[in-house]
Amino acid sequence: MPVAASAIYFLNLRGDVLINRTYRDDVGGNMVDAFRTHIMQTKELGNCPVRQIGGCSFVYMRISNVYIVIVASSNANVACGFKFVVEAVALFKSYFGGAFDEDAIRNNFVLIYELLDEIMDFGYPQNLSPEILKLYITQEGVRSPFSSKPKDKPVPNATLQVTGAVGWRREGLSYKKNEVFLDIVESVNLLMSSKGNVLRCDVTGKVLMKCFLSGMPDLKLGLNDKIGLEKESEMKSRPAKSGKTIELDDVTFHQCVNLTRFNSEKTVSFVPPDGEFELMKYRITEGVNLPFRVLPTINELGRTRMEVNVKVKSVFGAKMFALGVVVKIPVPKQTAKTNFQVTTGRAKYNPSIDCLVWKIRKFPGQTESTLSAEIELISTMGEKKSWTRPPIQMEFQVPMFTASGLRVRFLKVWEKSGYNTVEWVRYITKAGSYEIRC
């Protein structure tokens, strides 16, 4: 639900109203007096940025020496209110040369009123993009004499962008070589028992793109997700191809994605922004392919000795490899001396984090490595406290591997001029919270 603001006030530190705009008639003009009396004069400004007084909600934020206060009579979306304030301030700064304070507001009354009419309608936020608003609100603000920010260049073809069709991309772009780079980056979160049983596992991923394309291209991305493949086979009236399909959870898209087309065809169609951006985020909770299996064995031999054996096995393909593998094996605080034997990489004791740190620069697939360590502990006279055994932690990065099994089936680029494009696709899996109990 949007913020549904009834009014917005700009106050200085004394509580004087610099400028205000009323969007609804469900609040009285004296609501700002209630804000001054119950919040500013009682010095409770720093306690909570959201207060309720007399059946109205006050959402406020201090920027420089100005308080921006949103008043709502209904149950408003507070997060949306704060986002509106932050983006509105960024818009004002773009007109005022980077400054936003009491002097900037006093010097730009007329411009601020015009902007407030455009960025909020009947209490609902509208377009706050400086690039688009400057296409038809061409009045320049009184710039601060201390501002060194250069003036923004106008963007051509205002009509198309103001309608919201492609407000994230300007026309007239031209490249000698048209290229698209697509990265699928996943983080594996795992909690495994000492016997190798998975207690909790999920994957969070994001699709990152970098586009250098001329004109106004239309891109279509196909993934091996279950719903998309079923919809495609239904539209083509033929059975779906065999192969692994993925069920994506909690999917969020960049604003450039055509959601109407996604809901009807289950394909990701979009006109991309120029340069780098995050196309989508997702989460996988079932069918996760773990890149590593870890089997630890820790034996406490009396009060002063321990034996640690950790076996790490890579489960991904033999032609792949992991980079920057780090295994952190916890040891007791009273560790005095350690002796290591590793089949691959290097290991050392780090007393600042009470861990044996085992580093392997390059870990091939379908192989295993072992660490064996003898640990001598300082003998204490007092009663021995049981060691809680924190989990083993791993860090790694596996190129060209996805723990979810997500794959790009196709990436199509269409542009009216018909130029050729070069598409690059890369997969990367990293460790999120990868923990194994001892």
Side-chain angles (χ1 to χ4, degrees):
M1 183 184 71
V3 63
S6 298
I8 184 169
Y9 293 89
F10 295 77
L11 311 177
N12 61 16
L13 299 183
R14 298 187 302 274
D16 301 329
V17 178
L18 301 174
I19 194 171
N20 71 287
R21 178 70 169 83
T22 302
Y23 295 101
R24 296 172 175 232
D25 57 2
D26 53 357
V27 296
N30 60 344
M31 295 309 299
V32 68
D33 297 329
F35 179 80
R36 276 196 295 258
T37 304
H38 294 279
I39 299 177
M40 296 192 71
Q41 294 180 3
T42 56
K43 298 182 179 180
E44 294 184 3
L45 286 166
N47 294 340
C48 179
V50 182
R51 295 289 299 274
Q52 282 193 324
I53 303 172
C56 291
S57 299
F58 292 82
V59 179
Y60 58 92
M61 182 182 295
R62 177 176 172 177
I63 308 294
S64 184
N65 58 353
V66 176
Y67 285 104
I68 302 178
V69 184
I70 293 178
V71 183
S73 62
S74 58
N75 185 16
N77 186 328
V78 174
C80 182
F82 285 124
K83 183 175 177 61
F84 171 81
V85 171
V86 171
E87 293 192 4
V89 170
L91 172 65
F92 295 146
K93 286 183 177 181
S94 70
Y95 272 95
F96 305 158
F100 181 80
D101 51 23
E102 183 176 352
D103 292 335
I105 292 175
R106 293 185 183 279
N107 292 333
N108 294 277
F109 273 119
V110 176
L111 177 58
I112 292 175
Y113 272 119
E114 189 173 358
L115 290 172
L116 289 176
D117 286 338
E118 293 293 338
I119 63 179
M120 185 169 278
D121 183 23
F122 197 59
Y124 295 106
Q126 305 297 310
N127 196 335
L128 287 100
S129 171
E131 292 79 10
I132 295 178
L133 287 169
K134 286 184 178 181
L135 297 175
Y136 56 96
I137 300 182
T138 56
Q139 177 183 347
E140 292 188 4
V142 178
R143 302 170 67 87
S144 169
F146 304 103
S147 173
S148 58
K149 182 180 178 181
K151 295 184 179 180
D152 297 327
K153 295 180 179 179
V155 182
N157 200 342
T159 305
L160 184 62
Q161 297 201 25
V162 171
T163 59
V166 283
W168 50 88
R169 182 182 181 90
R170 63 185 178 88
E171 284 197 333
L173 293 172
S174 179
Y175 291 97
K176 290 183 178 180
K177 187 177 182 181
N178 294 283
E179 294 180 295
V180 180
F181 299 86
L182 187 148
D183 288 346
I184 294 182
V185 182
E186 295 188 342
S187 297
V188 186
N189 303 304
L190 170 73
L191 179 60
M192 182 182 290
S193 71
S194 58
K195 296 182 180 180
N197 298 322
V198 176
L199 304 178
R200 185 182 70 247
C201 184
D202 69 86
V203 173
T204 56
K206 52 189 176 181
V207 179
L208 305 176
M209 295 196 70
K210 188 181 291 186
C211 296
F212 303 104
L213 299 172
S214 304
M216 197 68 66
D218 190 6
L219 275 65
K220 189 175 182 180
L221 174 65
L223 304 170
N224 63 331
D225 62 296
K226 184 177 180 180
I227 297 178
L229 287 172
E230 289 178 351
K231 188 68 177 180
E232 181 179 333
S233 62
E234 178 185 325
M235 294 177 66
K236 293 183 179 180
S237 300
R238 64 187 184 188
K241 295 181 180 179
S242 60
K244 183 174 182 181
T245 58
I246 309 300
E247 291 192 24
L248 300 178
D249 302 324
D250 304 332
V251 181
T252 58
F253 292 109
H254 187 274
Q255 64 171 336
C256 68
V257 175
N258 188 331
L259 296 180
T260 303
R261 194 169 178 182
F262 178 78
N263 290 330
S264 60
E265 302 178 12
K266 299 304 177 185
T267 57
V268 183
S269 303
F270 56 100
V271 176
D274 187 45
E276 189 172 353
F277 66 100
E278 183 180 281
L279 178 65
M280 61 180 284
K281 292 190 293 187
Y282 60 90
R283 190 167 67 93
I284 302 289
T285 55
E286 297 180 0
V288 177
N289 302 315
L290 296 177
F292 288 99
R293 290 275 180 180
V294 181
L295 297 174
T297 304
I298 297 179
N299 297 319
E300 298 184 39
L301 307 175
R303 297 169 61 92
T304 59
R305 288 183 61 235
M306 283 180 59
E307 287 184 352
V308 176
N309 290 281
V310 178
K311 182 184 291 185
V312 180
K313 182 177 181 180
S314 56
V315 189
F316 46 86
K319 295 183 179 180
M320 301 179 185
F321 55 86
L323 299 174
V325 178
V326 179
V327 184
K328 296 179 181 178
I329 306 159
V331 295
K333 287 183 177 292
Q334 62 268 28
T335 299
K337 185 179 179 181
T338 57
N339 292 314
F340 302 101
Q341 285 185 346
V342 293
T343 57
T344 310
R346 295 181 179 182
K348 69 175 183 178
Y349 168 57
N350 189 336
S352 63
I353 57 175
D354 298 318
C355 284
L356 307 179
V357 181
W358 180 17
K359 295 183 178 181
I360 303 173
R361 186 176 62 86
K362 188 174 182 180
F363 202 125
Q366 298 297 316
T367 60
E368 63 179 41
S369 298
T370 305
L371 175 144
S372 300
E374 294 182 356
I375 300 172
E376 295 183 11
L377 307 176
I378 300 173
S379 179
T380 56
M381 298 298 293
E383 181 180 354
K384 182 182 177 182
K385 295 182 179 180
S386 60
W387 183 42
T388 57
R389 293 196 180 189
I392 295 173
Q393 296 179 334
M394 278 196 73
E395 300 173 8
F396 54 81
Q397 181 171 308
V398 188
M400 303 311 295
F401 172 82
T402 55
S404 66
L406 189 68
R407 286 289 183 269
V408 175
R409 294 190 296 117
F410 59 82
L411 177 60
K412 300 178 181 178
V413 181
W414 180 88
E415 213 277 335
K416 59 184 179 181
S417 62
Y419 56 71
N420 295 322
T421 60
V422 180
E423 296 90 17
W424 304 88
V425 179
R426 182 173 61 169
Y427 306 93
I428 302 174
T429 293
K430 300 178 180 179
S433 174
Y434 208 90
E435 298 182 342
I436 302 91
R437 290 180 176 174
C438 301

